[in-house]
């Protein structure tokens, strides 16, 4: 069997996807520079190679060493705030780095890629739920870098026959149900682990930015999609590359407020979460959730985790027993 190259496969979503692929009979090579990824997150039965998008020789070595059928590309910097302060870092790694990856793929005759994109390419929502036809007006360099990559794929498809699927996901959440791998970011910016760390006493409190939004309880509403559902979607996308190229939203289609997430985490943990309220953050839309009909139609995909308590339960299990 040919091999799938998972770029950034030691990261949060990448490692869960590698585990899912291996369970479903795929062979995987994980390439990661370990700047944000964790070597411990790579399953033992995957091959690991240290490689960097900005190091063309390391990329060439990966393609020279294995008979690669397709690539799943997770290797990006993904901190929105940092992208505003250091845009060069984001355009170099995310955009130039992806061009380096495409060059290595082209030289190796590998013309299939599934890309980890983001709902940040849409910017401020003009309507919800957000479907794939929603205008794309990203409001930060991170979102713009991902949109540029999507546009590059369109051009490569026309010029070179690249087959691609870009998966625009909403708020990735939760951890491996078996507790082997999980979410470990430095710095941590995702809401669920921040809430759980506050519950555990590792943070003074969870900061809630804004309580005066036009929502049911005044706090922001987001669409939390379990990481295992994302992993499944990446495998299904791999299997559809011969019949479809384009863009798909990945979300549950259900919006949950920040206050609802805190309450659910308290119920799951049986503990109280200390909360500190603060002013709104610039650029935080009131409501963001996905229209996922196209992913269901094209991939035959449906999220298994639609209850935020079940999502949080997997994250809480990881927080209590995490290995890295």
């Amino acid at each position: 069997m040919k091999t799938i190259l998972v770029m950034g496969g030691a990261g949060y979503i990448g490692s869960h996807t590698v585990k899912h692929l291996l369970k479903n009979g795929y062979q995987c090579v994980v390439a990661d520079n370990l700047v944000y990824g964790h070597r411990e997150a790579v399953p033992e039965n995957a091959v690991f190679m240290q490689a960097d998008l900005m190091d063309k020789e390391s990329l060439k070595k990966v393609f020279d060493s294995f008979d690669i059928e397709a690539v799943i590309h997770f290797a990006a910097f993904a901190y929105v705030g940092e992208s505003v302060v250091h845009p060069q870092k984001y355009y170099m790694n995310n955009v130039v780095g992806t061009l380096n990856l495409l060059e290595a793929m082209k030289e190796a005759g590998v013309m299939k890629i599934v890309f980890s994109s983001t709902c940040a390419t849409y910017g401020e929502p003009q309507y919800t739920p957000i479907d794939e036809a929603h205008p794309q007006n990203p409001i930060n360099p991170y979102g713009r870098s991902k949109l540029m990559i999507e546009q590059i794929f369109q051009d490569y498809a026309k010029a070179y026959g690249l087959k691609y699927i870009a998966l625009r996901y909403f708020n990735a959440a939760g951890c491996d149900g078996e507790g082997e791998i999980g979410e470990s970011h430095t710095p941590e910016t995702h809401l669920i682990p921040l809430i759980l760390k506050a519950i555990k006493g590792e943070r003074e409190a969870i900061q809630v930015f804004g309580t005066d939004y036009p929502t049911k309880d005044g706090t922001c509403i987001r669409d939390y999609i379990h990481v295992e559902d994302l992993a499944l979607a990446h495998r299904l996308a791999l299997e559809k590359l011969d019949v479809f190229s384009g863009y798909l939203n990945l979300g549950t289609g259900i919006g949950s407020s920040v206050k609802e997430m805190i309450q659910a985490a308290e119920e799951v943990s049986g503990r109280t979460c200390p909360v500190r309220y603060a002013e709104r953050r610039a650029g935080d839309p009131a409501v963001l959730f996905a229209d996922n009909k196209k992913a269901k139609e094209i991939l035959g995909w449906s999220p298994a985790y639609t209850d935020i308590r079940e999502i949080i339960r997997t994250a809480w299990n990881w927080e209590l027993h995490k290995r890295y």
Side-chain angles (χ1 to χ4, degrees):
M1 174 186 281
K2 286 191 175 180
T3 299
I4 306 302
L5 171 61
V6 185
M7 289 296 307
Y12 170 42
I13 304 169
S15 60
H16 285 82
T17 301
V18 171
K19 180 175 179 179
H20 177 83
L21 290 172
L22 291 167
K23 272 191 168 180
N24 285 274
Y26 285 84
Q27 292 177 349
C28 293
V29 173
V30 171
D32 199 295
N33 63 9
L34 299 180
V35 170
Y36 292 117
H38 300 273
R39 181 66 181 85
E40 308 94 312
V42 180
E44 288 179 6
N45 47 344
V47 177
F48 178 78
M49 293 188 74
Q50 194 151 346
D52 192 298
L53 290 175
M54 301 310 296
D55 180 355
K56 290 186 180 183
E57 280 306 308
S58 72
L59 295 175
K60 185 178 186 309
K61 185 177 178 184
V62 174
F63 284 95
D64 286 347
S65 302
F66 299 95
D67 184 13
I68 299 210
E69 181 179 16
V71 176
I72 306 181
H73 178 20
F74 293 102
F77 293 143
Y79 291 111
V80 169
E82 182 186 56
S83 79
V84 175
V85 179
H86 299 295
Q88 180 184 11
K89 176 178 178 179
Y90 278 68
Y91 291 124
M92 287 297 291
N93 181 82
N94 294 5
V95 181
V96 177
T98 298
L99 286 167
N100 291 341
L101 175 62
L102 287 168
E103 182 183 340
M105 288 172 61
K106 202 157 146 290
E107 285 178 4
V110 179
M111 298 306 287
K112 292 182 178 180
I113 190 166
V114 175
F115 176 56
S116 165
S117 193
T118 172
C119 66
T121 65
Y122 294 119
E124 293 281 353
Q126 295 182 15
Y127 56 83
T128 54
I130 295 171
D131 59 19
E132 289 81 0
H134 188 287
Q136 289 180 288
N137 297 300
I139 59 172
N140 53 64
Y142 166 66
R144 279 191 279 275
S145 73
K146 293 279 191 168
L147 177 57
M148 287 177 188
I149 295 166
E150 289 190 6
Q151 293 167 336
I152 288 166
F153 288 156
Q154 288 180 48
D155 294 336
Y156 272 58
K158 287 176 190 162
Y160 310 122
L162 181 72
K163 296 178 178 180
Y164 70 93
I165 296 178
L167 299 173
R168 296 171 181 160
Y169 27 92
F170 284 63
N171 290 50
C175 297
D176 169 35
E178 295 173 345
E180 292 178 346
I181 51 177
E183 182 168 15
S184 182
H185 297 117
T186 306
E188 185 56 74
T189 59
H190 287 186
L191 179 65
I192 292 175
L194 289 175
I195 292 171
L196 298 180
K197 287 178 193 306
I199 284 174
K200 285 173 70 185
E202 293 176 12
R203 298 176 63 87
E204 279 186 28
I206 180 70
Q207 269 199 299
V208 176
F209 295 98
T211 56
D212 58 347
Y213 284 96
T215 61
K216 51 193 168 187
D217 61 22
T219 62
C220 286
I221 289 175
R222 296 293 182 266
D223 186 336
Y224 296 90
I225 176 76
H226 195 277
V227 67
E228 288 183 338
D229 288 324
L230 293 176
L232 168 63
H234 285 80
R235 174 174 65 83
L236 295 175
L238 274 179
E239 294 165 1
K240 291 290 182 182
L241 283 168
D242 284 326
V243 295
F244 174 79
S245 279
Y247 318 99
L248 300 171
N249 285 343
L250 296 181
T252 61
I254 301 165
S256 301
S257 76
V258 175
K259 282 185 177 176
E260 285 175 331
M261 298 301 285
I262 294 169
Q263 183 183 347
E266 290 180 331
E267 288 176 21
V268 166
S269 66
R271 305 184 195 180
T272 301
C273 180
V275 178
R276 192 159 58 227
Y277 294 102
E279 294 297 307
R280 291 187 188 191
R281 286 184 302 199
D284 268 350
V287 180
L288 279 178
F289 65 101
D291 181 325
N292 61 14
K293 288 197 288 288
K294 192 174 177 185
K296 288 180 172 180
E297 175 193 331
I298 300 288
L299 301 181
W301 170 85
S302 203
Y305 289 87
T306 54
D307 182 339
I308 55 172
R309 284 156 193 80
E310 290 306 309
I311 294 173
I312 290 169
R313 190 167 282 114
T314 63
W316 180 238
N317 180 54
W318 169 254
E319 276 294 327
L320 291 176
H321 306 104
K322 58 189 177 186
R323 298 186 295 112
Y324 55 85

